Amino acid sequence: MKNWEKNIRKVVPYTPGEQPKQANIIKLNTNENPYPPAKGVYEAWKNFDIDKLRLYPDPSIGKLRDEIAKFYNVSSEEVFVGVGSDDVIAMCFMTFFNDDKPIIFPDITYSFYDVWANMLKIKYKQIPLDDNFEIQTEDYNIENGGIIFPNPNAPTGVLMPLEEVEKIIKNNQDVIVMIDEAYIDFGGESAIELTHKYDNVLVIQTFSKSRSMAGARIGYAIGDKKLIKYLNDVKYSFNSYTLNTMAIELGVKAIEDREYFEETRNKIIKTREWTKEKLKELGFIFKDSKSNFIFARHETKKAKEIFEALKEEGIIVRYFSNPERINNYIRITIGTDEEMKKLIKFLCKYLEKNQIVL
Amino acid sequence: MKNWEKNIRKVVPYTPGEQPKQANIIKLNTNENPYPPAKGVYEAWKNFDIDKLRLYPDPSIGKLRDEIAKFYNVSSEEVFVGVGSDDVIAMCFMTFFNDDKPIIFPDITYSFYDVWANMLKIKYKQIPLDDNFEIQTEDYNIENGGIIFPNPNAPTGVLMPLEEVEKIIKNNQDVIVMIDEAYIDFGGESAIELTHKYDNVLVIQTFSKSRSMAGARIGYAIGDKKLIKYLNDVKYSFNSYTLNTMAIELGVKAIEDREYFEETRNKIIKTREWTKEKLKELGFIFKDSKSNFIFARHETKKAKEIFEALKEEGIIVRYFSNPERINNYIRITIGTDEEMKKLIKFLCKYLEKNQIVL
C-alpha cells in the first residue's frame, strides 16, 4: 500500500440501480415516471439559446426557485434547489447534522441515509418499523441529533398521515426534522404547510418522479427561510453553480404545467390501483402503497425467483437482497397501463393462474 | 437562538462572481469564453430526445468519460467527471485530504481552496508566492497532507513550466498532488502525461473555459485508475446521478470537435496578446498571462477606481478587495476582438492616453 492510500476516505462503494441500455425492456425498477415531461419542456428546449451555454448559469437558480415557490404558494426564500433530491439531502446532512447525538431514521427506508451518514461521519441510529412496516411516532421521542424519514416510506410505499408526521415534529423541536417526500404526489398529503408552523422542518421533493424529469436532476427543499439560508451558505461553499442552464430553463416549464402534472399523477394512481387488484388476485401480499410503486411478496413463490423470471422476460423490477427483513419482496414501479398488463399477463402464466381476467 | 441552531455547519458565506442580467454589457469578469459552443453541440441539441428525460441519466457518465478519454488518449477508467471542476475538486478534497497534517496551496490562488478546506474541516497552510507572483517549488518540500495549485495560477495567470510542476510531484509522493488546469489550454503544457508516471497525481480540467460550456457544468479529473475508483466510490456515496442527460449528450459533442477547440483557443490567445500590448502602452503592469485573462495593476491609477469607471461604462471586470497583496489589481477576461477594442478605447479616454493607435 502506498503512503497516500492511508488518507483515503473509505466508503462502502454504493451500486446504483441498474440502468439497462437494451431497447424493448419494460423498466419498472427505479420508480421513473412512464410519461414524458410536460409540453412546455419541449417548447423551452426548442427555444433554448445554446450560445448562452458559454456563460455560467445563475448561481441563485432564481427563475426555478421562483416557479417552485409559486406552485407551492411559498416565498422563493423558502426554497432551496439542488442536483436531484440526493444532492439536496446530502447538503442538508452536511448543514444540519453536526451534533454528537445520533440522527435517527427508520431501519427499512431509503438506502442512502446510512450511506450519507457514514460518509460524513455522522452518528446514526435506525429505528425499526413495526411488523406492519409502519413508523411508530413514539419511537422517535428519544434524544437525537436530527431526524429524517420518507413519506410515503421507501421501499414500502406506506404513507403516514399528516397528523402522525406532526407528532414527530412536535416532540422534536430542538433538532432539524426532514421529511423526504419524493413520492408524496401519488396520494399523500405534503407537510409543506407545517414548515410555516415549525421553523425546524424541511420538506424535500423531486422532479424525478411526479414531474417526469429524472434525467434533468432537480430536487428541492422547502422550509423556513432561515434554514434555506444556512443551506445556501453551505452550497455556495461547495459549488456555486450546481444546476446547469438547461435544467433551470426546462425545470421552470416542468413545474409550471399544473394540469399535466395532475393528469399524469392521476393516471399513475389509477394504474396502480388496477395493478394492486391484479397482484392480489395473483397471491401477492403488500401494504397499501401511496407511491408510484408496489412493494410486494408472494404467498408461495420466492421474490428472488420472481425477480429473475421477470428479468428473463425483459421486465426489470427491483429486488433488495438485504436487509433480511425485506429480502423476500420485489418493488414494482408503476408504468403505463400497457406495461402493467404485460407484467400481469406474464405473472399469470408464470404463477399458473390462468383464470385471471385482464 | 433556537437549540437546533447550535448544530448548524457554520461557513463564511461565499458570494459568487456577479452574473449581471442586463443586455449590452461587456462581461469580462468570470473568465467565460466569448465564443459559442462547438457546432456539434447545436446538432446534439436538435436531435435530443426529450422523452428520455423521464429516465435517470447514466450514473457512470460513460459516453462522456469515453469521449474525454479519447481526446486525451487515456482510458475511461482514468477519467472522473463531475458538475464543473468545483464539484470535482470538492470531491477530491473529501476523498483524499483526510490527514491530520495540513494540505498546502499558494496564498494567492483560486479562492475556493480555503473555502472547501474550512467547510470540510481540513487543516491547511497557505504558501506565499514570491514577489513575482511565482510558485517556488522548494517551498513545497515540507510535511503536508496533500497539495493543490492551479496551473496557470488564478487570478495571476502565471504559468509554471511542466518541469517545475514535476519537481513538486517528485518531492511529494506520499500525498495526493492535484493540479487544477482550468486555464491550461490558453498556452500551458498539461501535466496529464505525468499521471502515467506518478500514481498520486490528479489533473483537473473543465468545459467552462476553453470548451465554451460554463452553462453546462462539466469538469473532470484525470489520474491513475486507482485514484479515479476512490473518487467514484465517494461520488456514488454522495449522489449517484450528478450530470444530467443534457450535459452528457452536449458534452460529448463539445469535446469531440478538436478543430473548433483549436480555432477558438488560438483566437483567444491572439486577442490576449494584442490586449497585453495595448495595456502596456496604457501604463498597466502585469505578469505574463497564459490564461484567458490578464491580472493587472496600473502605474498610477487605483485598481478600484478603474474597476468602477469600467462598470459605469458597462464593462464588467473583476476586482478582489482582498487579500491585501492583490487589492490593487483588476482581472480582465479576454473577450472578442471587438470587446477588447471597446475596453481599450474606453481606457485610452479614461486614462487620457489619446496617442494610442487601435
Side-chain angles (χ1 to χ4, degrees):
Chain A
M1 188 163 103
K2 298 285 184 87
N3 270 328
W4 54 257
E5 284 191 67
K6 284 178 204 148
N7 293 312
I8 304 284
R9 187 178 290 254
K10 294 289 170 348
V11 295
V12 182
Y14 173 87
T15 319
E18 227 176 328
Q19 297 294 351
K21 284 185 186 83
Q22 66 269 40
N24 295 323
I25 60 139
I26 297 181
K27 191 170 179 305
L28 306 175
N29 68 331
T30 49
N31 299 340
E32 288 143 333
N33 197 309
Y35 302 108
K39 277 222 175 66
V41 176
Y42 294 77
E43 290 302 311
W45 186 258
K46 247 196 330 209
N47 299 327
F48 187 79
D49 176 10
I50 296 211
D51 286 7
K52 256 201 314 208
L53 281 185
R54 70 176 190 83
L55 300 172
Y56 282 98
D58 169 18
S60 76
I61 319 176
K63 266 170 84 168
L64 182 52
R65 283 175 79 178
D66 291 350
E67 205 60 43
I68 294 169
K70 212 163 110 188
F71 188 92
Y72 290 105
N73 202 17
V74 299
S75 81
S76 295
E77 289 73 44
E78 293 170 285
V79 180
F80 173 84
V81 176
V83 181
S85 60
D86 283 350
D87 179 50
V88 174
I89 301 175
M91 286 292 142
C92 289
F93 271 48
M94 288 194 88
T95 309
F96 301 113
F97 290 167
N98 296 294
D99 199 348
D100 275 336
K101 289 175 212 144
I103 62 164
I104 55 179
F105 48 82
D107 65 335
I108 311 286
T109 196
Y110 184 43
S111 57
F112 249 109
Y113 301 153
D114 57 344
V115 174
W116 287 315
N118 283 326
M119 196 199 41
L120 298 168
K121 297 163 191 165
I122 300 166
K123 283 179 211 149
Y124 63 93
K125 196 178 157 185
Q126 288 164 303
I127 312 288
L129 297 181
D130 71 11
D131 292 340
N132 276 321
F133 283 163
E134 278 174 13
I135 288 176
Q136 291 303 317
T137 60
E138 58 273 21
D139 295 346
Y140 289 74
N141 299 348
I142 56 170
E143 262 215 330
N144 67 74
I147 295 176
I148 184 162
F149 57 88
N151 194 37
N153 198 5
T156 63
V158 174
L159 179 77
M160 210 195 304
L162 199 55
E163 311 82 72
E164 298 287 300
V165 172
E166 188 167 3
K167 271 189 207 161
I168 294 183
I169 298 168
K170 227 180 213 162
N171 284 319
N172 288 282
Q173 292 188 50
D174 286 342
V175 296
I176 301 301
V177 180
M178 295 177 203
I179 301 135
D180 179 356
E181 294 190 340
Y183 302 104
I184 198 71
D185 294 326
F186 302 106
E189 197 180 349
S190 173
I192 289 176
E193 57 166 275
L194 298 179
T195 64
H196 301 297
K197 198 166 163 189
Y198 303 97
D199 65 1
N200 63 323
V201 172
L202 278 166
V203 172
I204 293 114
Q205 295 194 357
T206 176
F207 278 43
S208 299
K209 315 295 180 187
S210 55
R211 310 278 173 188
S212 298
M213 294 275 278
R217 314 308 306 122
I218 306 171
Y220 53 98
I222 295 179
D224 187 88
K225 57 186 177 185
K226 207 168 181 179
L227 294 186
I228 300 303
K229 193 194 164 300
Y230 283 126
L231 258 177
N232 270 317
D233 287 351
V234 168
K235 171 218 139 118
Y236 284 132
S237 297
F238 213 88
N239 189 359
S240 309
Y241 305 100
T242 50
L243 255 68
N244 63 28
T245 310
M246 299 87 88
I248 296 174
E249 296 288 336
L250 304 189
V252 164
K253 293 298 167 182
I255 194 136
E256 223 180 47
D257 193 340
R258 199 180 286 262
E259 199 181 322
Y260 184 74
F261 165 72
E262 294 294 349
E263 180 194 323
T264 47
R265 69 172 178 149
N266 285 325
K267 261 159 93 174
I268 291 165
I269 291 170
K270 209 174 141 201
T271 308
R272 178 188 67 206
E273 296 307 312
W274 178 87
T275 308
K276 280 181 191 170
E277 265 175 52
K278 296 299 158 192
L279 287 176
K280 252 178 220 156
E281 291 180 48
L282 283 163
F284 281 93
I285 296 158
F286 48 87
K287 305 303 304 175
D288 191 34
S289 167
K290 293 291 184 192
S291 62
N292 70 337
F293 57 82
I294 296 165
F295 189 63
R297 63 184 174 88
H298 191 261
E299 55 189 9
T300 54
K301 208 70 165 168
K302 282 231 159 68
K304 196 158 185 271
E305 283 168 33
I306 303 172
F307 166 75
E308 274 157 9
L310 283 168
K311 196 170 178 181
E312 205 154 304
E313 186 67 13
I315 302 174
I316 320 286
V317 300
R318 191 84 187 258
Y319 169 72
F320 301 88
S321 55
N322 62 63
E324 211 189 318
R325 249 179 113 180
I326 59 166
N327 73 4
N328 198 25
Y329 283 79
I330 55 172
R331 192 192 66 186
I332 306 164
T333 301
I334 303 302
T336 59
D337 282 341
E338 202 195 341
E339 288 173 323
M340 300 324 273
K341 265 183 193 147
K342 280 186 186 161
L343 167 87
I344 298 295
K345 209 167 158 186
F346 171 77
L347 287 173
C348 286
K349 208 177 68 188
Y350 174 71
L351 297 164
E352 294 168 13
K353 303 243 178 178
N354 297 316
Q355 74 285 16
I356 290 173
V357 185
L358 289 186
Chain B
M1 188 164 102
K2 298 284 183 91
N3 269 328
W4 54 257
E5 283 192 68
K6 286 179 203 147
N7 294 312
I8 304 285
R9 187 177 290 253
K10 295 289 171 347
V11 295
V12 182
Y14 172 88
T15 319
E18 226 175 329
Q19 297 292 352
K21 282 182 188 87
Q22 66 269 42
N24 294 325
I25 60 138
I26 298 182
K27 191 171 180 302
L28 306 176
N29 67 331
T30 51
N31 299 339
E32 288 141 334
N33 197 308
Y35 302 108
K39 277 221 175 66
V41 176
Y42 294 77
E43 290 302 311
W45 185 260
K46 251 200 321 214
N47 299 328
F48 187 78
D49 176 9
I50 296 209
D51 286 6
K52 257 201 313 208
L53 281 185
R54 71 176 190 83
L55 300 172
Y56 282 98
D58 169 17
S60 77
I61 318 176
K63 267 171 85 168
L64 183 51
R65 282 174 81 178
D66 292 350
E67 205 60 43
I68 294 169
K70 213 163 109 189
F71 188 92
Y72 290 105
N73 202 18
V74 300
S75 81
S76 296
E77 289 72 45
E78 292 170 285
V79 180
F80 173 84
V81 176
V83 182
S85 61
D86 283 350
D87 180 50
V88 174
I89 301 175
M91 285 292 141
C92 289
F93 271 49
M94 289 195 88
T95 308
F96 301 113
F97 290 167
N98 295 294
D99 199 347
D100 276 337
K101 290 174 211 146
I103 62 165
I104 56 178
F105 49 82
D107 64 335
I108 311 286
T109 195
Y110 184 42
S111 56
F112 249 107
Y113 301 153
D114 58 344
V115 174
W116 287 315
N118 284 326
M119 196 200 39
L120 297 169
K121 297 163 190 165
I122 299 166
K123 284 178 210 149
Y124 63 93
K125 197 180 157 183
Q126 289 163 304
I127 311 289
L129 297 181
D130 70 11
D131 292 340
N132 277 321
F133 282 162
E134 279 174 15
I135 289 177
Q136 291 303 316
T137 59
E138 58 272 22
D139 294 345
Y140 290 74
N141 299 346
I142 56 169
E143 262 215 331
N144 66 74
I147 296 177
I148 184 164
F149 57 89
N151 194 37
N153 198 6
T156 63
V158 174
L159 179 76
M160 208 194 306
L162 198 55
E163 310 84 72
E164 298 288 299
V165 172
E166 188 167 2
K167 271 190 207 161
I168 293 183
I169 298 169
K170 228 181 213 159
N171 284 319
N172 289 282
Q173 292 189 51
D174 285 342
V175 297
I176 302 300
V177 180
M178 295 178 203
I179 301 135
D180 179 355
E181 294 189 341
Y183 302 104
I184 198 72
D185 293 326
F186 301 107
E189 197 182 348
S190 172
I192 289 175
E193 57 166 276
L194 298 180
T195 64
H196 301 298
K197 197 166 163 189
Y198 302 95
D199 65 1
N200 63 322
V201 172
L202 278 167
V203 172
I204 293 113
Q205 297 193 356
T206 175
F207 279 43
S208 299
K209 316 295 181 188
S210 55
R211 310 278 172 187
S212 299
M213 294 275 278
R217 315 307 307 120
I218 305 171
Y220 53 97
I222 295 180
D224 187 88
K225 59 185 176 186
K226 207 168 180 179
L227 293 186
I228 299 304
K229 190 190 166 301
Y230 283 127
L231 258 178
N232 269 317
D233 287 351
V234 168
K235 171 218 139 118
Y236 284 132
S237 297
F238 213 89
N239 188 0
S240 308
Y241 305 100
T242 49
L243 254 68
N244 62 28
T245 310
M246 299 87 88
I248 296 174
E249 296 288 335
L250 304 188
V252 164
K253 294 297 166 183
I255 193 136
E256 223 179 48
D257 193 340
R258 199 181 285 263
E259 199 182 321
Y260 184 74
F261 165 71
E262 295 294 350
E263 181 195 322
T264 47
R265 70 173 178 148
N266 285 324
K267 261 159 92 174
I268 291 165
I269 290 170
K270 209 174 141 201
T271 308
R272 178 188 68 206
E273 296 307 311
W274 178 87
T275 307
K276 280 181 191 169
E277 265 176 50
K278 296 299 157 190
L279 287 176
K280 252 177 221 155
E281 291 179 49
L282 282 164
F284 281 94
I285 296 157
F286 48 88
K287 305 302 303 175
D288 191 33
S289 167
K290 292 292 184 192
S291 62
N292 70 338
F293 56 82
I294 296 165
F295 189 62
R297 65 184 172 88
H298 191 263
E299 54 189 10
T300 54
K301 208 75 168 166
K302 281 231 160 68
K304 195 158 186 272
E305 283 169 34
I306 303 173
F307 166 74
E308 275 157 9
L310 284 168
K311 196 169 177 183
E312 205 154 305
E313 186 68 11
I315 303 174
I316 319 286
V317 300
R318 191 82 189 259
Y319 170 72
F320 301 87
S321 56
N322 62 62
E324 211 189 317
R325 246 179 116 180
I326 59 166
N327 75 3
N328 198 24
Y329 283 79
I330 54 172
R331 191 191 68 187
I332 307 164
T333 302
I334 303 302
T336 59
D337 282 340
E338 202 196 340
E339 288 173 325
M340 299 325 273
K341 264 183 195 146
K342 280 186 186 159
L343 167 88
I344 298 294
K345 210 167 157 188
F346 171 77
L347 286 173
C348 288
K349 208 177 69 189
Y350 175 71
L351 297 164
E352 294 168 13
K353 305 242 177 176
N354 296 316
Q355 75 284 15
I356 289 173
V357 185
L358 289 186

